[in-house]
Amino acid sequence: MCWVPGNCCPLCWLPTSVIGCSKVLLRPRTSEEVSRILRYCHERNLAVNPQGGNTGLVGGSVPVFDEIILSTALMNQVTSFNSVSGILTCQAGCVLEGLSRYVQERDFVMPLDLGAKGSCHIGGNVATNAGGLRFLRYGSLHGTVLGLEVVLADGTVLDCLTSLRKDNTGYDLKQLFIGSEGTLGVITAVSILCPPRPKAVNVAFLGCPGFAEVLQTFSTCRGMLGEILSAFEFMDAECMQLVQQHLHLASPVQESAFYLLVETSGSSTGHDAEKLGCFLEQVLGSGLVTDGTDGTVATDESKAQALWALRERITEALSGDGYVYKYDVSLPVERLYDLVTDLRARLGSQARHVVGYGHLGDGNLHLNVTVDAFSAALLDTMEPYVYAWTAGQRGSISAEHGLGFRKRDALRYSKPPPAVRLMQQLKALLDPKGILNPYKLLPTQA
Amino acid sequence: MCWVPGNCCPLCWLPTSVIGCSKVLLRPRTSEEVSRILRYCHERNLAVNPQGGNTGLVGGSVPVFDEIILSTALMNQVTSFNSVSGILTCQAGCVLEGLSRYVQERDFVMPLDLGAKGSCHIGGNVATNAGGLRFLRYGSLHGTVLGLEVVLADGTVLDCLTSLRKDNTGYDLKQLFIGSEGTLGVITAVSILCPPRPKAVNVAFLGCPGFAEVLQTFSTCRGMLGEILSAFEFMDAECMQLVQQHLHLASPVQESAFYLLVETSGSSTGHDAEKLGCFLEQVLGSGLVTDGTDGTVATDESKAQALWALRERITEALSGDGYVYKYDVSLPVERLYDLVTDLRARLGSQARHVVGYGHLGDGNLHLNVTVDAFSAALLDTMEPYVYAWTAGQRGSISAEHGLGFRKRDALRYSKPPPAVRLMQQLKALLDPKGILNPYKLLPTQA
């Protein structure tokens, strides 16, 4: 079965994006079936591309040559949920939004949330170590995933599906597979710790006159909102222009150089409103924030969603603007926006827009460049420039998107040779025939 | 240099505890020195025992035969601290309490705290994946450790000492070494995320009539205290008796079957006191808690410390009671105390005391048995009984203490054969000559 009809040649992923090609798509329902598939493929040296919701941005979930697609789409059952501990155990193919709904009905929330929630699978989230909108509050999947079931390249089922908060018996093997992008094993089930559902959620959308003020607002916010701060997102003026132009969304605040979305999630409506009120008074009074009045604060869900849309739909607005080059980097927060201004100056009129937005609280910048159409020459102007710039700050050239197929050769910008060597040794140990998601994550050359 | 003078024979760790033996103790100051030591030992097949504060309870940090001790004691420098992000980078030999003080002066706290803080080293904490008193709030070191520098068995320095919250470039190698008990590499530096220092801390000490009430109080507490709940510890009546008898500490509450220590840490004194007040009113009114009046709630530091001492000094009280058999298990919270009552019935008059206490909020039970003197026959009555009981609940036979030398052969009770096999393969890959902390963590027989 051809996966993308009419796009079935090994090189057609170039130049615009990674478009895959495969003659076989398999959709197992159980880990036993996954095990049988992998045993078969391992014996016959057949390459396999594990695939969840296929929402990645670096081509990790797309076959490059003739890999067999192993989709988790039919592995979508919740196995158990403990309403005292908040521990959820489910199959890898459960869609994140479905799980969110499931645990919310039981007064808990998933510890992760991201734009692709309507289609991404929890197994894929774990395999790519997805970050997203709740990272600031609940941290990394390396901390919230309690157990995994993984099928190894030769079909061995590795049962590390514990649902305990603490377990120090031997090496924590599940960690190997979190963020391994399907190259070390196929995740078939996940046990994850869900925090209690917050009783009160407030969202404020604010304007800031400059990046220095953005940083000071962040410090003030951490101090004054404390443990109820659940998101601190930022976008620049060009992002807002694109969102207004392509999606016809109205800005709730007066024109500013930067915009902030601050979210609180807590257990007391009154307490949280009081904390947020004091914070707003402080930042408005001191001139850190130029606009953050009544119309920009939401306590009810629909208004909060409208404010979130301004931030979450930036990706969509960018797509409407032309061809988009996307970068996802971690940087020391003080230097976060310098990369945007530097690249903007470097590209000049060659780009339509160079925009910066992202998870400021996590030091995670999404840097996007829009142009009329893809140009290899322009790509050469940006790469390895962006990677070298990031490496110069000891940043990460992939904060939350992974390396996949597109960025695997840039790995060395963030990891030294002994680390890359050890990664290759781990790959050789766990997948000696190299059948699992080949051509991904690790560099082309040893 | 003999490490424990007069105790220098290979078998003298039996029967009471693990007492080590070594002729050489090395105390490097830099990772370069660690690298040279390991390169030398690797070339000559010399076994090495990495050692931090030597506060472990399972013999992981003690040489068993003639290993060279590699102590991190002189590697005690803080490298950097970022007061915006709260990210601390330091050498492995920094003592936890010193780091706590260092970051508290800068308005942050370490994400972990434990009884041994006055002597344990941060490198050892990471190597053993220490849990402790702040786990409930800040989670596992797998989530809070951002980067590590590790020297591999052959002397290679693996620099994964990033200080970024997000980094998805390749496999997250540092995770391999968290909890590996020095068997895969020697941790020489740590980068860790410190949360902001809470402005208000409240501690309540409560009495509960039964374990069912303990569980209901926990559920109520999670709901009503929400994001400010930072500890939920429990101890049984026998613990309190021993603390009173051996340490002469007075119980602040009337005699009860169980005692709870509830701690809140938040950003607003007024809000937190209000939340705690409502919670106490609720649990006292409904009879879940029999005593939790004014004298049992602390808002000032010295009184809070006095309440914490009742819980933290149980270990000391037990030592005063005779020889102590110690178990540290994770269990589904509903079954947590059944293991204590079952073992108490099983041992009858053979034991002085069988007590249960620990981190209830994390599902982590410390089960201790005191007797007049060590008896191998009694050990046989308890082991593998305790391990098999725990395995029957899909629990962990070591929640936060690791396996070390004493519990390595019990690994199979918590991990299936394919997992043990993969652990052995990882050990062979990273330490092919087996020079790093041999006789630890992995079972004697393949």
Side-chain angles (χ1 to χ4, degrees):
Chain A
M1 173 182 162
C2 183
W3 180 67
V4 181
N7 275 303
C8 219
C9 68
L11 288 173
C12 61
W13 53 272
L14 268 174
T16 54
S17 68
V18 185
I19 295 175
C21 169
S22 178
K23 292 210 167 56
V24 184
L25 165 68
L26 300 174
R27 307 205 294 175
R29 285 182 187 275
T30 64
S31 23
E32 174 48 33
E33 286 181 8
V34 174
S35 167
R36 278 161 52 205
I37 291 169
L38 288 185
R39 201 178 317 131
Y40 182 94
C41 293
H42 190 256
E43 279 164 10
R44 288 164 183 77
N45 295 311
L46 301 172
V48 177
N49 185 151
Q51 192 177 83
N54 199 17
T55 59
L57 291 173
V58 289
S61 59
V62 175
V64 178
F65 189 60
D66 59 356
E67 300 98 302
I68 291 163
I69 300 176
L70 177 58
S71 163
T72 52
L74 300 184
M75 302 181 69
N76 56 7
Q77 301 299 306
V78 169
T79 317
S80 69
F81 182 73
N82 184 311
S83 60
V84 175
S85 62
I87 296 167
L88 171 78
T89 306
C90 64
Q91 284 189 297
C94 292
V95 172
L96 179 58
E97 197 166 49
L99 293 176
S100 265
R101 232 179 357 248
Y102 180 92
V103 301
Q104 278 196 23
E105 284 164 8
R106 289 151 181 86
D107 269 336
F108 286 82
V109 291
M110 291 296 288
L112 82 159
D113 185 24
L114 56 157
K117 61 183 163 236
S119 21
C120 64
H121 296 183
I122 188 70
N125 295 148
V126 174
T128 56
N129 188 28
L133 306 168
R134 291 185 183 148
F135 190 100
L136 179 71
R137 176 66 167 273
Y138 303 118
S140 156
L141 291 174
H142 285 287
T144 53
V145 170
L146 300 178
L148 289 181
E149 181 189 68
V150 179
V151 182
L152 301 181
D154 65 1
T156 303
V157 179
L158 190 69
D159 178 3
C160 297
L161 199 58
T162 169
S163 55
L164 303 164
R165 285 206 67 182
K166 285 178 172 178
D167 177 22
N168 272 355
T169 52
Y171 309 141
D172 193 354
L173 296 176
K174 69 169 184 281
Q175 301 290 352
L176 267 176
F177 304 96
I178 300 174
S180 71
E181 304 186 45
T183 63
L184 297 181
V186 177
I187 294 170
T188 48
V190 174
S191 163
I192 192 164
L193 183 68
C194 299
R197 184 182 185 175
K199 295 191 183 85
V201 175
N202 296 299
V203 178
F205 204 89
L206 313 169
C208 272
F211 197 70
E213 286 81 5
V214 167
L215 293 178
Q216 270 185 274
T217 306
F218 177 54
S219 285
T220 310
C221 191
R222 289 240 296 193
M224 297 187 72
L225 297 179
E227 62 284 347
I228 62 167
L229 178 64
S230 56
F232 195 95
E233 302 283 314
F234 90 109
M235 57 196 272
D236 63 16
E238 292 196 26
C239 285
M240 182 62 90
Q241 285 157 23
L242 292 173
V243 163
Q244 291 178 312
Q245 182 186 337
H246 296 290
L247 307 175
H248 310 293
L249 298 177
S251 168
V253 295
Q254 65 184 55
E255 214 175 293
S256 305
F258 293 93
Y259 301 90
L260 298 176
L261 184 150
V262 177
E263 187 194 70
T264 66
S265 311
S267 59
S268 160
T269 314
H271 291 170
D272 295 5
E274 198 181 315
K275 286 190 181 90
L276 186 61
C278 290
F279 160 72
L280 290 175
E281 199 175 313
Q282 165 76 24
V283 290
L284 283 164
S286 61
L288 288 178
V289 166
T290 44
D291 190 5
T293 43
D294 276 358
T296 72
V297 181
T299 50
D300 66 292
E301 201 176 322
S302 67
K303 194 170 168 200
Q305 277 178 357
L307 293 178
W308 263 113
L310 293 163
R311 161 65 187 84
E312 279 202 90
R313 294 182 67 191
I314 295 173
T315 312
E316 201 183 329
L318 286 162
S319 308
D321 201 53
Y323 178 77
V324 192
Y325 297 89
K326 288 172 184 288
Y327 298 95
D328 159 50
V329 299
S330 277
L331 287 168
V333 76
E334 302 81 8
R335 295 297 313 274
L336 199 68
Y337 201 71
D338 293 347
L339 177 56
V340 183
T341 46
D342 281 12
L343 190 66
R344 199 175 275 149
R346 182 178 172 88
L347 298 186
S349 62
Q350 293 176 82
R352 275 191 187 166
H353 289 102
V354 178
V355 308
Y357 67 99
H359 318 288
L360 189 110
D362 307 321
N364 181 184
L365 170 73
H366 295 314
L367 166 66
N368 283 226
V369 177
T370 62
V371 290
D372 296 341
F374 173 83
S375 144
L378 190 63
L379 189 66
D380 290 343
T381 313
M382 290 188 281
E383 291 177 29
Y385 178 81
V386 169
Y387 300 140
W389 198 104
T390 303
Q393 302 297 324
R394 293 211 65 175
S396 168
I397 61 119
S398 180
E400 57 175 15
H401 289 172
L403 295 167
F405 177 71
R406 297 185 66 174
K407 303 201 167 164
R408 61 192 178 133
D409 285 321
L411 171 59
R412 66 188 170 88
Y413 286 98
S414 286
K415 292 290 152 68
V420 176
R421 213 155 46 229
L422 182 50
M423 289 181 202
Q424 283 160 331
Q425 290 172 328
L426 287 169
K427 172 70 176 174
L429 172 67
L430 279 146
D431 180 18
K433 294 184 170 184
I435 66 162
L436 283 176
N437 220 6
Y439 331 114
K440 311 288 169 63
L441 190 139
L442 290 166
T444 326
Q445 301 211 312
Chain B
M1 172 181 164
C2 183
W3 180 66
V4 181
N7 274 302
C8 220
C9 68
L11 287 175
C12 61
W13 54 272
L14 267 175
T16 54
S17 66
V18 185
I19 295 174
C21 170
S22 179
K23 292 211 166 57
V24 183
L25 165 68
L26 299 174
R27 306 206 293 175
R29 285 181 186 277
T30 64
S31 24
E32 174 49 31
E33 285 180 11
V34 175
S35 167
R36 277 161 51 205
I37 292 168
L38 288 185
R39 203 178 314 131
Y40 182 94
C41 294
H42 190 256
E43 278 164 10
R44 287 162 184 77
N45 296 311
L46 301 171
V48 177
N49 186 150
Q51 191 177 82
N54 200 16
T55 59
L57 292 173
V58 289
S61 58
V62 175
V64 179
F65 188 61
D66 60 356
E67 299 97 302
I68 292 163
I69 299 175
L70 177 58
S71 162
T72 51
L74 300 184
M75 301 180 70
N76 55 6
Q77 301 299 306
V78 169
T79 317
S80 69
F81 183 73
N82 184 312
S83 61
V84 175
S85 62
I87 296 167
L88 171 78
T89 305
C90 64
Q91 284 188 297
C94 291
V95 172
L96 180 58
E97 196 165 49
L99 293 177
S100 264
R101 232 179 357 250
Y102 180 92
V103 301
Q104 278 194 24
E105 284 163 9
R106 289 153 181 83
D107 268 337
F108 286 83
V109 292
M110 292 295 287
L112 82 160
D113 185 25
L114 56 158
K117 61 182 161 237
S119 19
C120 64
H121 296 184
I122 188 71
N125 294 147
V126 174
T128 57
N129 189 29
L133 307 168
R134 290 185 185 149
F135 190 100
L136 180 70
R137 176 67 166 272
Y138 303 119
S140 156
L141 291 175
H142 284 287
T144 54
V145 170
L146 300 179
L148 289 181
E149 181 189 67
V150 179
V151 182
L152 301 182
D154 65 1
T156 302
V157 179
L158 189 69
D159 178 4
C160 297
L161 199 58
T162 168
S163 55
L164 304 164
R165 286 207 67 182
K166 285 178 171 177
D167 177 22
N168 272 355
T169 53
Y171 309 141
D172 194 355
L173 297 176
K174 68 168 185 284
Q175 302 290 352
L176 267 177
F177 304 96
I178 301 175
S180 70
E181 304 187 42
T183 62
L184 297 180
V186 177
I187 293 171
T188 47
V190 174
S191 163
I192 193 165
L193 182 68
C194 299
R197 183 182 186 176
K199 295 191 183 87
V201 175
N202 296 300
V203 178
F205 204 88
L206 314 169
C208 272
F211 197 70
E213 286 80 5
V214 167
L215 293 179
Q216 270 187 274
T217 306
F218 177 54
S219 285
T220 310
C221 191
R222 289 238 298 192
M224 296 187 72
L225 297 178
E227 61 284 347
I228 62 167
L229 178 64
S230 55
F232 195 94
E233 302 283 313
F234 90 110
M235 58 196 272
D236 63 16
E238 293 198 25
C239 284
M240 181 63 89
Q241 285 155 24
L242 292 173
V243 163
Q244 291 178 311
Q245 182 187 336
H246 296 289
L247 306 176
H248 310 292
L249 297 177
S251 168
V253 294
Q254 65 184 57
E255 214 174 293
S256 305
F258 293 93
Y259 302 90
L260 297 177
L261 185 149
V262 177
E263 187 194 71
T264 65
S265 311
S267 58
S268 160
T269 314
H271 291 169
D272 294 5
E274 198 181 317
K275 286 191 181 89
L276 187 60
C278 290
F279 160 72
L280 290 174
E281 200 175 314
Q282 166 76 25
V283 291
L284 284 163
S286 61
L288 289 179
V289 166
T290 45
D291 191 4
T293 43
D294 276 357
T296 70
V297 181
T299 50
D300 66 293
E301 201 175 322
S302 66
K303 194 169 170 202
Q305 276 177 357
L307 293 179
W308 263 113
L310 293 163
R311 162 64 187 84
E312 279 201 270
R313 294 181 67 191
I314 296 173
T315 313
E316 200 182 329
L318 287 162
S319 309
D321 200 53
Y323 177 78
V324 192
Y325 297 89
K326 289 172 183 288
Y327 298 95
D328 158 52
V329 299
S330 278
L331 288 168
V333 77
E334 301 82 8
R335 296 297 315 274
L336 198 68
Y337 202 70
D338 293 346
L339 177 55
V340 183
T341 46
D342 281 12
L343 190 66
R344 198 175 276 150
R346 182 178 172 87
L347 298 185
S349 62
Q350 295 177 80
R352 273 191 188 167
H353 289 101
V354 178
V355 308
Y357 66 99
H359 317 288
L360 188 110
D362 307 322
N364 181 183
L365 170 74
H366 296 314
L367 166 66
N368 283 225
V369 177
T370 63
V371 289
D372 296 342
F374 173 82
S375 146
L378 190 64
L379 189 66
D380 289 344
T381 313
M382 290 189 283
E383 292 177 25
Y385 178 80
V386 170
Y387 300 141
W389 198 104
T390 304
Q393 302 297 325
R394 292 211 68 175
S396 168
I397 62 120
S398 180
E400 58 176 14
H401 289 172
L403 296 167
F405 178 69
R406 298 183 66 173
K407 304 202 166 166
R408 61 191 179 133
D409 284 322
L411 171 59
R412 66 189 172 88
Y413 286 97
S414 286
K415 293 289 152 68
V420 176
R421 211 156 48 230
L422 182 50
M423 289 181 202
Q424 284 160 330
Q425 289 171 329
L426 288 170
K427 172 71 176 173
L429 172 67
L430 279 146
D431 180 19
K433 294 183 170 183
I435 66 163
L436 283 176
N437 220 6
Y439 329 115
K440 312 288 169 63
L441 189 138
L442 290 167
T444 328
Q445 302 212 311

